[in-house]
Amino acid sequence: MTDDAAPLAFTPALERATAAVWDRIKDEVTPLEWRLHAPLIAQIRKLAQDRGAVILAHNYMTPEIFHGVGDVVGDSLALAREAARTDAAVIVQAGVKFMAETSKVLSPQKRVLIPNLEAGCSLASSITGADVALIRQRFPTLPIVAYVNTNADVKAEVDICCTSANAVQVVEWAARVWGVDRVILLPDEFLARNVARQTEVKIIAWAGSCEVHERFTAEDIFELRLAYPGAQILAHPECPAEVIAACDFAGSTTAMSDHVIATKPRQAILITECSMAANVAAEAPATQFVRPCNLCPHMKKITLEGIRDALLLDQFEVAVESTLIERAARSVQRMIDLPPPTQPARYDLVKARHHVDVEMI
Ligand code: 13P
Ligand code: SF4
């Protein structure tokens, strides 16, 4: 075993070196867990430094990853922007595969590693590039916008990508540039329905959904309101439109996090993946979190051990077919080139409460 591979011990020196992370997450992990996490965090930091690697960590990573080893943390949009601008030689994507593919198409000369190749996404697996080619034949004059939660073959076929943080902006941009009043937004039907309520542009949608967010119902929200009167309820726009309409705030993962940190509610309820509340809690000590969350089985495949092994064993490299890279990069780059929002976009809840039809493909 090389020095790098040797697991570090939880010595008093290591405890001191990692004390700042412990201080942030001590309400989220037990002292017993911390004795296992801290040596891995120290080992990962050293390996990343030695390899000139940057670790991009999504908001749904567990707190020991998010606060312990993420060099850049945020929502899909922030991570894509960072992948485009980083000068690190290696990118380790602490997130799911579509995020790593996005990094790869934006930085094809870099080595992009994902700790677990099985970290998929129900939205990304709901549609293929061949499906998009058929949609194009059926609607040849309309722009096609793909949520960034798609594989590279889909990104290669569409006109531009979006995330939950800029979907309304991107749809309105596409309608303006193409000079049309209808835009295809795929593959998330729920995001499409939520975007349709925010804009005059008519939306054509695909029947994909997020297996984490589709499970929340408006009844869940009404019950939470009764049980926790006064709590601020925030939801991700991958939730059904009735859920968004019943909440106090809707936006991307970073928009939700920023909002809680800025407004400091006494109680908050995040209608999204479970690690969000754990990560925001570290930055919002005045807020008590009620946690009716769902776990994303894909995001939870990423662990500290997996990140350590990715750096140590140089695995698992994310490859995108050379025939797709350029076209997929164009769709993502077009999105990145739009003026960045001054703050991650929030959804207007007055509009969210008015039903608007979408046309299903
Ligand atoms: P964000 O773009 O808001 O980070 O969401 C990504 C995601 O996968 C949510 O389920
Ligand atoms: Fe995909 Fe949903 Fe998991 Fe996000 S939370 S990665 S959209 S399955």
Side-chain angles (χ1 to χ4, degrees), residues 127 132 143-151 153-164 166-167 170-171 183-188 191 331-332 335:
I127 191 163
V132 182
I144 306 181
V145 178
Y147 197 28
V148 76
N149 298 37
T150 44
N151 295 326
D153 63 334
V154 168
K155 291 185 172 85
E157 292 290 339
V158 302
D159 297 304
I160 185 169
C161 288
C162 73
T163 75
S164 60
N166 61 13
V170 170
V171 159
V183 168
I184 298 162
L185 173 58
L186 48 83
D188 188 351
L191 179 77
S331 299
V332 184
M335 165 185 86

mmCIF file of all heavy atoms in Angstrom, residues 127 132 143-151 153-164 166-167 170-171 183-188 191 331-332 335:
data_model
loop_
_atom_site.group_PDB
_atom_site.id
_atom_site.type_symbol
_atom_site.label_atom_id
_atom_site.label_comp_id
_atom_site.label_asym_id
_atom_site.label_seq_id
_atom_site.Cartn_x
_atom_site.Cartn_y
_atom_site.Cartn_z
ATOM 1 N N ILE A 127 -35.550 9.716 -21.638
ATOM 2 C CA ILE A 127 -35.566 10.175 -23.035
ATOM 3 C C ILE A 127 -34.186 9.942 -23.674
ATOM 4 O O ILE A 127 -33.167 9.997 -22.976
ATOM 5 C CB ILE A 127 -35.982 11.670 -23.102
ATOM 6 C CG1 ILE A 127 -36.267 12.087 -24.541
ATOM 7 C CG2 ILE A 127 -34.964 12.580 -22.432
ATOM 8 C CD1 ILE A 127 -37.067 13.382 -24.639
ATOM 9 N N VAL A 132 -35.584 12.613 -29.355
ATOM 10 C CA VAL A 132 -35.571 14.049 -29.692
ATOM 11 C C VAL A 132 -35.565 14.232 -31.217
ATOM 12 O O VAL A 132 -36.229 15.133 -31.742
ATOM 13 C CB VAL A 132 -34.366 14.775 -29.043
ATOM 14 C CG1 VAL A 132 -34.400 16.257 -29.375
ATOM 15 C CG2 VAL A 132 -34.358 14.571 -27.543
ATOM 16 N N PRO A 143 -38.279 25.612 -31.345
ATOM 17 C CA PRO A 143 -37.048 25.354 -30.589
ATOM 18 C C PRO A 143 -37.267 24.267 -29.541
ATOM 19 O O PRO A 143 -38.351 24.159 -28.965
ATOM 20 C CB PRO A 143 -36.747 26.698 -29.929
ATOM 21 C CG PRO A 143 -38.044 27.422 -29.876
ATOM 22 C CD PRO A 143 -38.881 26.926 -31.018
ATOM 23 N N ILE A 144 -36.224 23.480 -29.308
ATOM 24 C CA ILE A 144 -36.299 22.426 -28.283
ATOM 25 C C ILE A 144 -35.307 22.764 -27.166
ATOM 26 O O ILE A 144 -34.107 22.923 -27.407
ATOM 27 C CB ILE A 144 -35.968 21.039 -28.862
ATOM 28 C CG1 ILE A 144 -36.864 20.745 -30.082
ATOM 29 C CG2 ILE A 144 -36.139 19.966 -27.790
ATOM 30 C CD1 ILE A 144 -36.633 19.370 -30.712
ATOM 31 N N VAL A 145 -35.853 22.878 -25.954
ATOM 32 C CA VAL A 145 -35.043 23.168 -24.765
ATOM 33 C C VAL A 145 -34.964 21.887 -23.934
ATOM 34 O O VAL A 145 -35.989 21.267 -23.663
ATOM 35 C CB VAL A 145 -35.691 24.287 -23.906
ATOM 36 C CG1 VAL A 145 -34.867 24.544 -22.645
ATOM 37 C CG2 VAL A 145 -35.874 25.563 -24.718
ATOM 38 N N ALA A 146 -33.759 21.483 -23.551
ATOM 39 C CA ALA A 146 -33.618 20.302 -22.681
ATOM 40 C C ALA A 146 -33.131 20.725 -21.312
ATOM 41 O O ALA A 146 -32.179 21.498 -21.183
ATOM 42 C CB ALA A 146 -32.629 19.308 -23.270
ATOM 43 N N TYR A 147 -33.810 20.206 -20.322
ATOM 44 C CA TYR A 147 -33.344 20.342 -18.949
ATOM 45 C C TYR A 147 -31.943 19.724 -18.907
ATOM 46 O O TYR A 147 -31.674 18.736 -19.592
ATOM 47 C CB TYR A 147 -34.308 19.551 -18.070
ATOM 48 C CG TYR A 147 -34.287 19.856 -16.594
ATOM 49 C CD1 TYR A 147 -33.919 21.096 -16.089
ATOM 50 C CD2 TYR A 147 -34.688 18.880 -15.684
ATOM 51 C CE1 TYR A 147 -33.937 21.347 -14.737
ATOM 52 C CE2 TYR A 147 -34.719 19.124 -14.319
ATOM 53 C CZ TYR A 147 -34.333 20.360 -13.858
ATOM 54 O OH TYR A 147 -34.353 20.607 -12.505
ATOM 55 N N VAL A 148 -31.073 20.291 -18.119
ATOM 56 C CA VAL A 148 -29.693 19.795 -18.072
ATOM 57 C C VAL A 148 -29.646 18.357 -17.527
ATOM 58 O O VAL A 148 -28.675 17.625 -17.756
ATOM 59 C CB VAL A 148 -28.830 20.800 -17.260
ATOM 60 C CG1 VAL A 148 -29.091 20.669 -15.773
ATOM 61 C CG2 VAL A 148 -27.385 20.709 -17.595
ATOM 62 N N ASN A 149 -30.745 17.924 -16.872
ATOM 63 C CA ASN A 149 -30.846 16.536 -16.376
ATOM 64 C C ASN A 149 -31.135 15.589 -17.544
ATOM 65 O O ASN A 149 -32.170 14.929 -17.612
ATOM 66 C CB ASN A 149 -31.991 16.397 -15.360
ATOM 67 C CG ASN A 149 -31.817 17.244 -14.123
ATOM 68 O OD1 ASN A 149 -31.324 18.365 -14.201
ATOM 69 N ND2 ASN A 149 -32.223 16.734 -12.982
ATOM 70 N N THR A 150 -30.222 15.541 -18.504
ATOM 71 C CA THR A 150 -30.362 14.668 -19.677
ATOM 72 C C THR A 150 -28.973 14.164 -20.047
ATOM 73 O O THR A 150 -27.954 14.785 -19.701
ATOM 74 C CB THR A 150 -30.915 15.452 -20.889
ATOM 75 O OG1 THR A 150 -30.235 16.709 -20.980
ATOM 76 C CG2 THR A 150 -32.414 15.693 -20.790
ATOM 77 N N ASN A 151 -28.943 13.044 -20.794
ATOM 78 C CA ASN A 151 -27.652 12.519 -21.248
ATOM 79 C C ASN A 151 -27.134 13.333 -22.440
ATOM 80 O O ASN A 151 -27.887 14.088 -23.071
ATOM 81 C CB ASN A 151 -27.793 11.041 -21.608
ATOM 82 C CG ASN A 151 -28.135 10.208 -20.384
ATOM 83 O OD1 ASN A 151 -27.681 10.517 -19.272
ATOM 84 N ND2 ASN A 151 -28.935 9.184 -20.564
ATOM 85 N N ASP A 153 -26.430 12.548 -25.461
ATOM 86 C CA ASP A 153 -27.066 12.357 -26.780
ATOM 87 C C ASP A 153 -28.291 13.246 -26.929
ATOM 88 O O ASP A 153 -28.595 13.716 -28.031
ATOM 89 C CB ASP A 153 -27.394 10.875 -27.025
ATOM 90 C CG ASP A 153 -28.396 10.309 -26.037
ATOM 91 O OD1 ASP A 153 -28.492 10.832 -24.905
ATOM 92 O OD2 ASP A 153 -29.099 9.343 -26.392
ATOM 93 N N VAL A 154 -28.986 13.495 -25.824
ATOM 94 C CA VAL A 154 -30.144 14.401 -25.868
ATOM 95 C C VAL A 154 -29.662 15.846 -26.019
ATOM 96 O O VAL A 154 -30.157 16.608 -26.861
ATOM 97 C CB VAL A 154 -31.023 14.228 -24.605
ATOM 98 C CG1 VAL A 154 -32.052 15.345 -24.484
ATOM 99 C CG2 VAL A 154 -31.704 12.860 -24.640
ATOM 100 N N LYS A 155 -28.674 16.211 -25.236
ATOM 101 C CA LYS A 155 -28.147 17.584 -25.321
ATOM 102 C C LYS A 155 -27.669 17.882 -26.743
ATOM 103 O O LYS A 155 -27.785 19.004 -27.236
ATOM 104 C CB LYS A 155 -26.998 17.778 -24.325
ATOM 105 C CG LYS A 155 -27.444 17.758 -22.863
ATOM 106 C CD LYS A 155 -26.284 18.076 -21.936
ATOM 107 C CE LYS A 155 -26.708 18.263 -20.490
ATOM 108 N NZ LYS A 155 -26.802 17.021 -19.732
ATOM 109 N N ALA A 156 -27.123 16.844 -27.406
ATOM 110 C CA ALA A 156 -26.584 17.045 -28.757
ATOM 111 C C ALA A 156 -27.694 17.341 -29.769
ATOM 112 O O ALA A 156 -27.442 17.946 -30.809
ATOM 113 C CB ALA A 156 -25.797 15.813 -29.191
ATOM 114 N N GLU A 157 -28.921 16.897 -29.481
ATOM 115 C CA GLU A 157 -30.022 17.053 -30.451
ATOM 116 C C GLU A 157 -30.842 18.322 -30.243
ATOM 117 O O GLU A 157 -31.645 18.683 -31.094
ATOM 118 C CB GLU A 157 -30.981 15.851 -30.348
ATOM 119 C CG GLU A 157 -30.394 14.531 -30.801
ATOM 120 C CD GLU A 157 -30.184 14.469 -32.315
ATOM 121 O OE1 GLU A 157 -30.820 15.230 -33.057
ATOM 122 O OE2 GLU A 157 -29.341 13.654 -32.742
ATOM 123 N N VAL A 158 -30.703 18.957 -29.067
ATOM 124 C CA VAL A 158 -31.604 20.078 -28.762
ATOM 125 C C VAL A 158 -30.937 21.414 -29.097
ATOM 126 O O VAL A 158 -29.762 21.459 -29.487
ATOM 127 C CB VAL A 158 -32.052 20.045 -27.275
ATOM 128 C CG1 VAL A 158 -32.748 18.725 -26.974
ATOM 129 C CG2 VAL A 158 -30.878 20.289 -26.340
ATOM 130 N N ASP A 159 -31.703 22.506 -28.926
ATOM 131 C CA ASP A 159 -31.169 23.823 -29.296
ATOM 132 C C ASP A 159 -30.458 24.521 -28.150
ATOM 133 O O ASP A 159 -29.540 25.303 -28.356
ATOM 134 C CB ASP A 159 -32.320 24.699 -29.812
ATOM 135 C CG ASP A 159 -32.922 24.093 -31.067
ATOM 136 O OD1 ASP A 159 -32.171 23.867 -32.029
ATOM 137 O OD2 ASP A 159 -34.131 23.792 -31.067
ATOM 138 N N ILE A 160 -30.911 24.246 -26.943
ATOM 139 C CA ILE A 160 -30.304 24.899 -25.766
ATOM 140 C C ILE A 160 -30.704 24.100 -24.527
ATOM 141 O O ILE A 160 -31.751 23.429 -24.525
ATOM 142 C CB ILE A 160 -30.760 26.383 -25.644
ATOM 143 C CG1 ILE A 160 -30.030 27.098 -24.488
ATOM 144 C CG2 ILE A 160 -32.263 26.516 -25.531
ATOM 145 C CD1 ILE A 160 -30.210 28.619 -24.454
ATOM 146 N N CYS A 161 -29.887 24.173 -23.493
ATOM 147 C CA CYS A 161 -30.217 23.529 -22.218
ATOM 148 C C CYS A 161 -30.727 24.574 -21.226
ATOM 149 O O CYS A 161 -30.561 25.784 -21.427
ATOM 150 C CB CYS A 161 -28.987 22.837 -21.629
ATOM 151 S SG CYS A 161 -28.537 21.349 -22.532
ATOM 152 N N CYS A 162 -31.325 24.081 -20.158
ATOM 153 C CA CYS A 162 -31.710 24.967 -19.047
ATOM 154 C C CYS A 162 -31.591 24.178 -17.760
ATOM 155 O O CYS A 162 -31.440 22.953 -17.781
ATOM 156 C CB CYS A 162 -33.146 25.469 -19.216
ATOM 157 S SG CYS A 162 -34.382 24.200 -18.882
ATOM 158 N N THR A 163 -31.617 24.876 -16.641
ATOM 159 C CA THR A 163 -31.739 24.221 -15.337
ATOM 160 C C THR A 163 -32.977 24.819 -14.673
ATOM 161 O O THR A 163 -33.607 25.737 -15.225
ATOM 162 C CB THR A 163 -30.503 24.474 -14.435
ATOM 163 O OG1 THR A 163 -30.570 25.820 -13.951
ATOM 164 C CG2 THR A 163 -29.200 24.250 -15.180
ATOM 165 N N SER A 164 -33.279 24.339 -13.470
ATOM 166 C CA SER A 164 -34.451 24.892 -12.786
ATOM 167 C C SER A 164 -34.224 26.367 -12.437
ATOM 168 O O SER A 164 -35.168 27.115 -12.223
ATOM 169 C CB SER A 164 -34.753 24.092 -11.517
ATOM 170 O OG SER A 164 -33.653 24.154 -10.645
ATOM 171 N N ASN A 166 -32.930 28.672 -14.399
ATOM 172 C CA ASN A 166 -33.060 29.626 -15.520
ATOM 173 C C ASN A 166 -34.068 29.172 -16.577
ATOM 174 O O ASN A 166 -34.088 29.722 -17.681
ATOM 175 C CB ASN A 166 -31.688 29.868 -16.172
ATOM 176 C CG ASN A 166 -31.104 28.589 -16.742
ATOM 177 O OD1 ASN A 166 -31.782 27.586 -16.866
ATOM 178 N ND2 ASN A 166 -29.835 28.637 -17.111
ATOM 179 N N ALA A 167 -34.916 28.180 -16.264
ATOM 180 C CA ALA A 167 -35.800 27.585 -17.281
ATOM 181 C C ALA A 167 -36.721 28.630 -17.915
ATOM 182 O O ALA A 167 -36.911 28.625 -19.147
ATOM 183 C CB ALA A 167 -36.607 26.450 -16.660
ATOM 184 N N VAL A 170 -34.706 30.842 -20.260
ATOM 185 C CA VAL A 170 -34.270 30.138 -21.476
ATOM 186 C C VAL A 170 -35.453 29.949 -22.434
ATOM 187 O O VAL A 170 -35.331 30.178 -23.647
ATOM 188 C CB VAL A 170 -33.621 28.778 -21.123
ATOM 189 C CG1 VAL A 170 -33.383 27.946 -22.378
ATOM 190 C CG2 VAL A 170 -32.307 28.991 -20.377
ATOM 191 N N VAL A 171 -36.602 29.554 -21.900
ATOM 192 C CA VAL A 171 -37.783 29.353 -22.751
ATOM 193 C C VAL A 171 -38.157 30.676 -23.432
ATOM 194 O O VAL A 171 -38.445 30.715 -24.632
ATOM 195 C CB VAL A 171 -38.960 28.804 -21.885
ATOM 196 C CG1 VAL A 171 -40.292 29.048 -22.561
ATOM 197 C CG2 VAL A 171 -38.745 27.319 -21.610
ATOM 198 N N VAL A 183 -42.761 26.552 -27.329
ATOM 199 C CA VAL A 183 -41.409 26.012 -27.147
ATOM 200 C C VAL A 183 -41.544 24.603 -26.547
ATOM 201 O O VAL A 183 -42.395 24.372 -25.682
ATOM 202 C CB VAL A 183 -40.585 26.928 -26.205
ATOM 203 C CG1 VAL A 183 -39.288 26.258 -25.767
ATOM 204 C CG2 VAL A 183 -40.279 28.257 -26.885
ATOM 205 N N ILE A 184 -40.704 23.691 -27.022
ATOM 206 C CA ILE A 184 -40.687 22.337 -26.453
ATOM 207 C C ILE A 184 -39.703 22.337 -25.281
ATOM 208 O O ILE A 184 -38.543 22.751 -25.435
ATOM 209 C CB ILE A 184 -40.263 21.317 -27.528
ATOM 210 C CG1 ILE A 184 -41.289 21.337 -28.669
ATOM 211 C CG2 ILE A 184 -40.132 19.914 -26.934
ATOM 212 C CD1 ILE A 184 -40.790 20.722 -29.963
ATOM 213 N N LEU A 185 -40.176 21.911 -24.111
ATOM 214 C CA LEU A 185 -39.322 21.856 -22.917
ATOM 215 C C LEU A 185 -39.378 20.430 -22.383
ATOM 216 O O LEU A 185 -40.433 19.972 -21.931
ATOM 217 C CB LEU A 185 -39.825 22.856 -21.859
ATOM 218 C CG LEU A 185 -39.132 22.804 -20.492
ATOM 219 C CD1 LEU A 185 -37.631 23.026 -20.595
ATOM 220 C CD2 LEU A 185 -39.740 23.856 -19.553
ATOM 221 N N LEU A 186 -38.249 19.724 -22.450
ATOM 222 C CA LEU A 186 -38.250 18.321 -22.038
ATOM 223 C C LEU A 186 -37.041 18.019 -21.140
ATOM 224 O O LEU A 186 -36.121 18.830 -21.085
ATOM 225 C CB LEU A 186 -38.240 17.425 -23.296
ATOM 226 C CG LEU A 186 -37.212 17.758 -24.399
ATOM 227 C CD1 LEU A 186 -35.851 17.182 -24.119
ATOM 228 C CD2 LEU A 186 -37.749 17.263 -25.744
ATOM 229 N N PRO A 187 -37.021 16.892 -20.389
ATOM 230 C CA PRO A 187 -38.047 15.849 -20.350
ATOM 231 C C PRO A 187 -38.946 15.924 -19.116
ATOM 232 O O PRO A 187 -39.765 15.026 -18.942
ATOM 233 C CB PRO A 187 -37.201 14.568 -20.265
ATOM 234 C CG PRO A 187 -36.025 14.961 -19.425
ATOM 235 C CD PRO A 187 -35.781 16.434 -19.711
ATOM 236 N N ASP A 188 -38.839 16.942 -18.258
ATOM 237 C CA ASP A 188 -39.584 16.917 -16.994
ATOM 238 C C ASP A 188 -40.961 17.565 -17.160
ATOM 239 O O ASP A 188 -41.078 18.793 -17.257
ATOM 240 C CB ASP A 188 -38.779 17.656 -15.906
ATOM 241 C CG ASP A 188 -39.416 17.505 -14.534
ATOM 242 O OD1 ASP A 188 -40.542 16.982 -14.445
ATOM 243 O OD2 ASP A 188 -38.788 17.928 -13.545
ATOM 244 N N LEU A 191 -41.630 20.169 -14.262
ATOM 245 C CA LEU A 191 -40.935 21.453 -14.456
ATOM 246 C C LEU A 191 -41.632 22.219 -15.582
ATOM 247 O O LEU A 191 -41.867 23.429 -15.480
ATOM 248 C CB LEU A 191 -39.460 21.230 -14.801
ATOM 249 C CG LEU A 191 -38.691 22.523 -15.031
ATOM 250 C CD1 LEU A 191 -38.350 23.205 -13.701
ATOM 251 C CD2 LEU A 191 -37.404 22.303 -15.819
ATOM 252 N N SER A 331 -25.209 23.301 -26.894
ATOM 253 C CA SER A 331 -26.484 23.510 -26.178
ATOM 254 C C SER A 331 -26.242 24.002 -24.750
ATOM 255 O O SER A 331 -26.968 24.858 -24.249
ATOM 256 C CB SER A 331 -27.282 22.196 -26.109
ATOM 257 O OG SER A 331 -27.571 21.753 -27.393
ATOM 258 N N VAL A 332 -25.217 23.448 -24.096
ATOM 259 C CA VAL A 332 -24.945 23.869 -22.712
ATOM 260 C C VAL A 332 -24.314 25.260 -22.708
ATOM 261 O O VAL A 332 -24.675 26.129 -21.908
ATOM 262 C CB VAL A 332 -24.019 22.863 -21.988
ATOM 263 C CG1 VAL A 332 -23.831 23.271 -20.537
ATOM 264 C CG2 VAL A 332 -24.577 21.448 -22.055
ATOM 265 N N MET A 335 -26.653 28.152 -23.025
ATOM 266 C CA MET A 335 -27.299 28.470 -21.742
ATOM 267 C C MET A 335 -26.337 29.286 -20.859
ATOM 268 O O MET A 335 -26.725 30.318 -20.291
ATOM 269 C CB MET A 335 -27.684 27.173 -21.026
ATOM 270 C CG MET A 335 -28.012 27.360 -19.566
ATOM 271 S SD MET A 335 -28.330 25.819 -18.701
ATOM 272 C CE MET A 335 -26.669 25.322 -18.237
#
